[in-house]
Amino acid sequence: MQSRTSAPRTGRTGRPRSVEADEAILAATRAALVELGWSKLTLGNVATRAGVAKTTLYRRWAGKNELVVDAVAALFDELELPDRGTLAADIEGVVLQFAAILARPEAKSGLLAVLAESTRDDALRERIRTSVVDRQKRLVLEGRARAQVRGELPPESDPSSAARTVDLIFDMVAGAVVHRTLISAEPVDEPWVQSFTRVLLLGLAGAATHP
């Protein structure tokens, strides 16, 4: 899967960005988060770990907040929606992937840090939304389109209604998995994922009567 790093700032000239350097910087950021934590992480430390000049980081990112968000976002770009034959099985597959990423120390440290900082930084909250949330809604769009082709879901002719459905599905999946993994610290194993998927697809009444 192609790596998705932060887009270049507009209005700048000079040499094109190096994908390899970006990946090294983001990997170094995640390693520093695990070892040092948010408060002690600096761009200088990341530059040293990545083997680049500190000015290289400042040409790409305005500061630590933006850098950490992009480092975390790159992890979630690894998510892929498996084609397992049914909508329920597809959901189960991607939820298990999502939980596995959240269980990684670098994802856990980075996500909790930027979420805490975003409570007092509107610009950071917006970057999280565009770099992580909006980007991963691709999985819902792909899954819904695939299920409609299979005849498992009806087509939606109203774009506004369809967009609201995508938002709601994403919020339900992401909210449940993040809460269970990072807040409750409970396992997201196959039995839990199967139960969650039944509730998501059938509602509480349908899931309660499902064998």
Side-chain angles (χ1 to χ4, degrees), residues 56-87:
T56 301
L57 270 72
Y58 281 112
R59 283 198 298 268
R60 290 158 161 78
W61 293 277
K64 181 167 75 171
N65 288 357
E66 293 83 358
L67 175 60
V68 173
V69 170
D70 284 3
V72 172
L75 291 176
F76 297 120
D77 284 338
E78 297 175 12
L79 286 167
E80 293 183 350
L81 185 70
D83 188 347
R84 302 170 82 181
T86 67
L87 177 58

Side-chain angles (χ1 to χ4, degrees), residues 42-62:
T42 67
L43 266 64
N45 179 274
V46 171
T48 299
R49 288 170 181 262
V52 301
K54 189 159 65 171
T55 53
T56 301
L57 270 72
Y58 281 112
R59 283 198 298 268
R60 290 158 161 78
W61 293 277

Side-chain angles (χ1 to χ4, degrees), residues 151-170:
E152 295 175 289
L153 291 177
E156 293 180 79
S157 57
D158 180 4
S160 296
S161 175
R164 287 194 297 271
T165 300
V166 169
D167 287 346
L168 180 59
I169 293 170
F170 182 88

Side-chain angles (χ1 to χ4, degrees), residues 142-208:
E142 183 182 347
R144 185 186 61 174
R146 186 187 292 166
Q148 287 170 342
V149 170
R150 290 176 181 148
E152 295 175 289
L153 291 177
E156 293 180 79
S157 57
D158 180 4
S160 296
S161 175
R164 287 194 297 271
T165 300
V166 169
D167 287 346
L168 180 59
I169 293 170
F170 182 88
D171 289 346
M172 291 172 70
V173 174
V177 179
V178 168
H179 183 276
R180 186 165 178 87
T181 305
L182 301 186
I183 308 302
S184 299
E186 295 289 343
V188 177
D189 52 18
E190 290 203 13
W192 184 88
V193 171
Q194 290 168 358
S195 297
F196 167 74
T197 301
R198 285 198 296 271
V199 171
L200 180 67
L201 294 180
L202 302 176
L204 289 174

Side-chain angles (χ1 to χ4, degrees), residues 26 29 38 61 64-76 110 114 124-125 127-132 135:
L26 296 179
T29 302
W38 172 272
W61 293 277
K64 181 167 75 171
N65 288 357
E66 293 83 358
L67 175 60
V68 173
V69 170
D70 284 3
V72 172
L75 291 176
F76 297 120
V114 295
L124 178 59
R125 186 182 303 114
R127 191 176 184 95
I128 294 169
R129 185 183 68 79
T130 57
S131 297
V132 180
R135 221 148 75 186

